[in-house]
Amino acid sequence: MAEIVVDNLTKVWSGSPAVDGISFTCASGEFTVLLGPSGCGKSTTLRLIAGLEQPSAGAIAIGGRDVTRRSPAERGIAMVFQSYALFPHLSVAENILFGLKVRRVPRAERDERLKRAAQTLGLTQLLDRKPAALSGGQRQRVALGRAIVADAAVCLMDEPLSNLDAQLRQEMRAEIRSLQRRLGMTMIYVTHDQVEAMTMSDRVVLMREGRIEQQGTPAELYDCPASGFAARFLGTPPMNLLPAAIGAGLLPGVPAAAGGSIGVRPERLRVGAPGRGLAASIEAIEYLGADTLLTLDAAGAKLIARTDGHARHRIGEVVGVSCAAGDLHFFDAGSGRRVEANGNGCNAPERGEGA
Amino acid sequence: MAEIVVDNLTKVWSGSPAVDGISFTCASGEFTVLLGPSGCGKSTTLRLIAGLEQPSAGAIAIGGRDVTRRSPAERGIAMVFQSYALFPHLSVAENILFGLKVRRVPRAERDERLKRAAQTLGLTQLLDRKPAALSGGQRQRVALGRAIVADAAVCLMDEPLSNLDAQLRQEMRAEIRSLQRRLGMTMIYVTHDQVEAMTMSDRVVLMREGRIEQQGTPAELYDCPASGFAARFLGTPPMNLLPAAIGAGLLPGVPAAAGGSIGVRPERLRVGAPGRGLAASIEAIEYLGADTLLTLDAAGAKLIARTDGHARHRIGEVVGVSCAAGDLHFFDAGSGRRVEANGNGCNAPERGEGA
Amino acid sequence: MSRLRASIHASLLLLPAVVLLAAFTHVPAVRTFIGALYTTPRGNRPEVFIGLDNYRHLLDDPVFWQAMANNVWYAALTIPLSVILALVMALAVDARLPGRAALRMAYFTPTVLPMIAVANIWLFFYTPGYGLLDQVLGLFGVAQTNWLGSRDTALNAVIAVAVWKEAGFFMIFYLAALQTIPHDLREAAAIEGASRFTFFRRVTLPLLMPTTLFVLVNAVIGAFRLVDHIVVMTRGGPDNATALLLYYIYEIGFRFWDSAYAATLTTVLLAILAVLAAVQFLFLERRIHYR
Amino acid sequence: MSIADRSAGAIETVGAWLLGLLWILPLAYAAWTAFHPAAYATRFDLLAPLTLANFVAAWEAAPFGRYLLNTTAIVTMILAGQFLVCTLAAYAFARYTFPGKSVLFALVLMQLMVMPDILIVENYRTMFGLGLVDTIGAVALPYMASAFGIFLLRQTFMTVPKELEEAAIVEGCSTLGVLWRVYVPLARPVFVAYGLVSVSHHWNNFLWPLIVTNSVETRPLTVGLAVFSSTDQGIDWSIISAATLMTAAPLLVAFLIFQRAFVQSFLRAGIR
Amino acid sequence: ETTVNMYYPVAVGGPITKIIDKMVADFSAANPDIKVNPIYSGSYQDTITKVVTALKGGNAPEFAVILSTDMFTLIDEDAIVPFEELVSDADKAWLDGFYPGFMLNSRTGGKTWGIPFQRSTIVQYWNKDAFKEAGLDPEVAPKTWDEMVAAAEKLTKRDTSGNVTRWGVQIPSSGFPYWLFQALTTQNDVILANEAGTKVTYDDPRVVEALQFWVDLSKKYKVHPQGIVEWGTTPKDFFEGKVAMMWTTTGNLTNVRNNAPFPFGVAMLPAKVRGGSPTGGGNFYVFKNASPEQRKAALAFIKWATAPEQAAAWSIATGYVAVTPAAWETEAMKKYVAEFPAAAVARDQLDVAVAELSTHDNQRVTKALNDGLQAALTGAKEPGQAMKDAQAEADRVLRPFQ
Ligand SMILES: Nc1ncnc2c1ncn2[C@@H]1O[C@H](COP(=O)(O)OP(=O)(O)OP(=O)(O)O)[C@@H](O)[C@H]1O
Ligand SMILES: Nc1ncnc2c1ncn2[C@@H]1O[C@H](COP(=O)(O)OP(=O)(O)OP(=O)(O)O)[C@@H](O)[C@H]1O
Ligand SMILES: [Mg+2]
Ligand SMILES: [Mg+2]
């Protein structure tokens, strides 16, 4: 229906490339998340796909048709802008209905869709307001509403939930996901929230400085990060990366000779009595409600371990840190790429399908 | 030095109150987080404190001086706007330095502060760009930079990190917190991210529809939510709220008679073999990398339980769900307020002081 | 969008304007300017090609040089005065002043009132003895002055009228432009402790630059084009003291019916204006931030 | 607000009002003379008798009712034409790149400089050729493409945030749709400003309408007004003032109505 | 039925357009086969602009009322036909029935190009109260320059600080100072231009002398305001008592009569070597592009409009000088003069009236003079120098016509 194929796409802004020869495919009806640090080219990629920027090189096909030179209107897309791009002179309702009016959707249907979207987004009370009289989150929801009502085959969203509170965000996540499924939309979704990336997407494209660092299912990225960068980018707190010499202490039988670094996720670390595993002292304790984060010092290397909410530790206490065999990741010293050491192959666990 | 006292503050927008008689105190050098759902009045409160809106009623004192009728410039504050409010015609450097130039800070010092801020924020390469040529996250960092260089006694920030990726956000969090400590700034910080609220703040003010729902230390709010709303607002996934009749099954000896609801946090639930605690079936399994969320059905009531990353459960499996005595919270049926049932007093654990 | 398609769209959008402009400005203008190379045709004397003779004559024409000098002085005063006043007015009526609706009206009236009538009223203001100006100055013991009848004051008296007429006109455009400056910038600046003047200089003014370019170009052109009040008030007198280039052209064209010489003068005036406008445009356009 | 601010504010208010008084002085004077007998035209005496005789005399000197109608038709026609033609052209100049754009723009700006009076003879010939002499269309036609308007609207359109256009395009707006639904509403204060200025200008335009029209059915107010100016007998300020007020009153009222349109609240809060 | 368009200006106050419309209606009643279409065309200046524009656009009117001084311009544009071509022999007498003073401006090269219609001349008005106050005979106006200076010196009034509160005499000098100056030169017995309109005598010593006198009125005698005196405000100055005597057109008679709050007198201008004044105002011209029938129709209207009854009515209604002696003999006119004797002063002055300065390239030649006059009056040049410069410029302009 509306597969998106991005082929060797490049966008250069006055000399420096914002997007640097990326290629990926987003199958029809699939939900792809673009992930990456600030300024890595996510929005630019999205704008290129939308046709709002002309690529410096490369091609884009939507639904099998090369649309590289087509106007945005011809691409059949809906979009949520990172900056919202609400029309300041139109009310919330008019903003949401803008595209439908332009496309001459009959009035009755328009009203119907508006009502549904407003309800979903909790905007029913605000339909007559101008954007200037809305809170930040409300504006963002209006922007979202505009994309939702469009029922387009392809939907592009640029951090559509960044200004919403956790609860609303969770609802919206579920809503967007189910809408996308129901309508069979092909979705490209930019977010900096890895929980969103993990829970919503079929596929994650991790970008770094205009290039693709790794792409795959969320579980693949989490369990088999292709590089130190990918390893640290997904997961909060991020994976601990230790010099191989030190990290080897976590588990008996790990060769420390190879150099490079060893990674282990905070939640995989077991903090117990001293003597077992790596000896470390507790430097800081951060209580997060559900968990407590321990910052540990092992021979000068810092580690973070996540433990239960009320784990009773004290600063300065000396503990032993260990982990299971499958929990270690090895990265090359120079390139930072993953090394499949000791036959420690990567097998992502099955991902339970959400409700 | 710069204590902020908000007294019975009210702001009415054409009939409906956005802020409705709130009072709180932010001690000098304290870090207060304003938390609450979208549209609850956080930004409005901040803008009232900054002097950008005139209150409909109430007073604001900063450093012991009533500033209710003072201009923003006289209040000695720095602010990060939710909408960034960058000057479109000025470069990043000029935007950041705007306030310092206005205040005639000597050139050498200006350059020094700019350099430091740009480094902290990772903007060094972008100092000559105009805002229009920045990514969303970069813009937000410029807005942050403007507040950081000001060294003001009072600093107000409105969702300053919402467009940053997890890693950068974590760095910024630490940076802001340490800056605030170092300079002894009084900070009021709006966020929708409860991790930010929990890790950064000395005090949380939880708002709802223009009123204060609860205020206290993060641990107080997390461990002793004053209402069902507060209980569900903090924590992801939120606290499970079950009808007392069902919830009583979690723990032997809990009286189901009282009515109202019983709350328990997902991470406090222990999922074990059937027979122990409440019988429930697994409806969905969501893998988040570090954890797995189980959605459970217990006699028609839905629960979420957080378990280890690779907990091996299957959809449809029947399990027993239980928890410890101190983990239950009781809420009144009508008002939703907390009920201290059975001497189940609330004692927030000590909070480990972070690095 | 492809370049070709963009070009087609653009040309369709421009078509009506181009046709009308060509029909009623460019073609007649070109015909007029060709006329500058001939003698003026009269009913009983057909035109004769004389090449650049008209331009040579122009160099020897003392009234032309006088009008030129007058016009330079006139422009040097009216342009800055009217543009600055316009900006001041716009800022005043954009702020929350008491009675700003009435003030807007007051500033705008010169644009609404017909020049033929208004010039007559100004004539009264300047009348020696019992004119309003002399009546008011008389209160301060200033002697009677023949404002329009003396070579020393006539041009400046006329300039005052021009400034009066132009400032409110430009104010309207500044006022409209002020509305498009986002309010949160003002707030951010207020928090940074910027005084209103600083905000004006560092934010408002740069963001008003597109309008300023427009106003400046028009003010420059206006300084060479606005002569209605001269026609009524002084007719270029006394002794050409208030003769401006366009008035002189008007006189040559519609009193002397010397269309060839009028075309010559027009060509020169147009060249001056084109250079001035181009300089401003090229100088400012690159410095303007359009967002 | 601090005391310093407040006193600065007070000074500004007084200054603004003084300037306003200065600016309205001619109108005030016109009102004074129009409502008083000629003998008081130059003497200001609070007890001077009021009269409407000047208005009666002015009204009777020409068919002002008909002229008013004609003028209204002319300015409406010009304004409609200008809005259409200039908006389209300004949009092309503001948002398209095409070969020869700057040359074309320079040619448009040329019109700002070429005074229409100079072209009267040629344009009359054109109108005569088209058989339009003595029609309202002939009065309006040469002014419909206005370089002033194109330039003004171009400047305005160029400040409209690009992302709004992009949002509209993504929503499926055509070129004209974007113009109509985004640019025009966002430029509303400027359109109002331009409208007021254009109407004022053409309301008061004299020479071209005088030349190209011959009959009462086509002539504008100013031609009637000209009866009172520059007579051999010197100036009768009373009658000129009365006639001026009569002709300018609709404009003044229009201004009072439309000046509110300058204050548009929607762009006031930051939309990022 | 023949339709003819007539452009006409309005140069005096009052409902002129209505008067014209009524005239045309009366004419139509008498001549049902001719339809005259009167087109109001602004001031004199606007009218000539409109006429020439239409002419160059190929659409000139059939006939028009235009300044008598524009005769050469119209001839040079080859726009008009002489009346000798239009009138039958029987009508030749009609051509001779006008005051010769008016015909001076209507003929050149032995042909009659224009028919006087709305004509005027310069007269002096004086304030009888002021005369009384100054100890002068309020019923007698000065008859010579010397008398005028003497009277003006008495009439000029100063307040304690030396500011003048009333001037003795005022001769306006804005816009078209040449016309009033021509009165002074005529009185000094010099004619400024030849009949062919190809030569001027601006630098004649008598011209310079006349200019010197005008300058001296303010410089030497200090009885006349300094600098340029505005034409438009001069009547108002008179009403306000700011001047005791003014020189202005007979067209102001009605105006002064209605607005002067004091008794006033009207007299012929004072003499130096001789009395005299230029005439002014507009003539009928018939245009070449009119068809023979249209020319005939236009002529019929012109004849009708200048016939004694109509000329008298027009004069009474507007204040213009009736253009034929016969008009003054009508009952209506006699009655009017009896009521308002001042009206006859202009007629009496016609005996000594001269043609208004008119040459080929008329406006340019008069501008040369105007500039010179204003330069002298504002003190920028000595009168002799000013007139020499003006002569040089006029010679340059007129060279092609000589
Ligand atoms: N200028 C205004 N006019 C009218 N209502 C307004 C205006 N500004 C805000 N509001 C309303 O006031 C309420 C509080 O807005 P506020 O911006 O304080 O919310 P918030 O807590 O910051 O929300 P968010 O997290 O979405 O930014 C909202 O319902 C909003 O719609
Ligand atoms: N118009 C422009 N001109 C020049 N450089 C630009 C422009 N727009 C973006 N850039 C640069 O291109 C890079 C990629 O920008 P982009 O907006 O795609 O980042 P992003 O991944 O969306 O970041 P964020 O998460 O912060 O929104 C950034 O370094 C940015 O500064
Ligand atoms: Mg982005
Ligand atoms: Mg907010």
Side-chain angles (χ1 to χ4, degrees), chain B residues 141-152:
Chain B
R141 282 181 272 160
V142 177
L144 204 50
R146 217 163 45 177
I148 285 180
V149 296
D151 275 5

Side-chain angles (χ1 to χ4, degrees), chain A residues 37-38 82 141 159 162-165 169 192 199 222-223 267-268 285-288 290-291 306 310 349 352, chain B residues 37-38 82 141 159 162-165 169 192 199 223 267-268 285-287 289-291 306 310 349 352:
Chain A
S38 172
Q82 189 170 10
R141 282 180 271 160
E159 315 214 357
S162 64
N163 270 293
L164 304 184
D165 57 273
R169 197 153 62 206
H192 59 261
T199 54
Y222 196 83
D223 293 328
E267 68 271 16
R268 293 279 172 259
I285 302 175
E286 206 171 4
Y287 170 66
L288 297 183
D291 322 283
R306 200 181 85 177
H310 286 267
Chain B
S38 173
Q82 192 170 10
R141 282 181 272 160
E159 315 213 357
S162 63
N163 269 294
L164 304 185
D165 57 273
R169 196 152 63 207
H192 58 260
T199 54
D223 293 327
E267 69 271 16
R268 292 278 171 261
I285 302 174
E286 203 170 7
Y287 170 66
D291 323 281
R306 200 181 84 177
H310 285 267

Side-chain angles (χ1 to χ4, degrees), chain D residues 144-267:
Chain D
M144 283 199 178
S146 140
F148 185 85
I150 294 173
F151 188 20
L152 174 68
L153 293 176
R154 168 200 186 253
Q155 296 301 91
T156 309
F157 287 169
M158 283 177 78
T159 66
V160 169
K162 186 126 203 211
E163 63 191 22
L164 296 181
E165 169 175 2
E166 292 173 348
I169 291 177
V170 167
E171 295 284 334
C173 269
S174 62
T175 303
L176 288 179
V178 172
L179 177 59
W180 175 244
R181 289 168 185 272
V182 178
Y183 282 90
V184 171
L186 287 179
R188 193 187 61 173
V190 173
F191 274 97
V192 173
Y194 180 46
L196 283 172
V197 161
S198 165
V199 165
S200 306
H201 184 259
H202 293 286
W203 194 274
N204 293 328
N205 195 10
F206 172 66
L207 191 59
W208 173 248
L210 175 84
I211 301 275
V212 84
T213 61
N214 291 332
S215 50
V216 171
E217 285 69 37
T218 52
R219 299 192 133 184
L221 276 175
T222 35
V223 174
L225 195 59
V227 176
F228 309 109
S229 65
S230 70
T231 66
D232 282 356
Q233 298 166 333
I235 301 155
D236 189 337
W237 281 306
S238 308
I239 291 215
I240 291 188
S241 296
T244 305
L245 286 187
M246 240 161 54
T247 55
L251 286 185
L252 293 171
V253 172
F255 182 82
L256 275 180
I257 293 171
F258 281 105
Q259 57 97 14
R260 282 188 149 271
F262 285 113
V263 191
Q264 79 180 77
S265 52
F266 55 71
L267 272 182

Side-chain angles (χ1 to χ4, degrees), chain C residues 82-116:
Chain C
S82 56
V83 172
I84 290 170
L85 266 179
L87 191 52
V88 168
M89 289 169 166
L91 290 170
V93 296
D94 189 47
R96 295 231 166 78
L97 278 190
R100 67 190 150 144
L103 261 189
R104 277 187 203 132
M105 173 89 189
Y107 294 153
F108 190 63
T109 30
T111 310
V112 172
L113 297 178
M115 199 53 160
I116 10 173

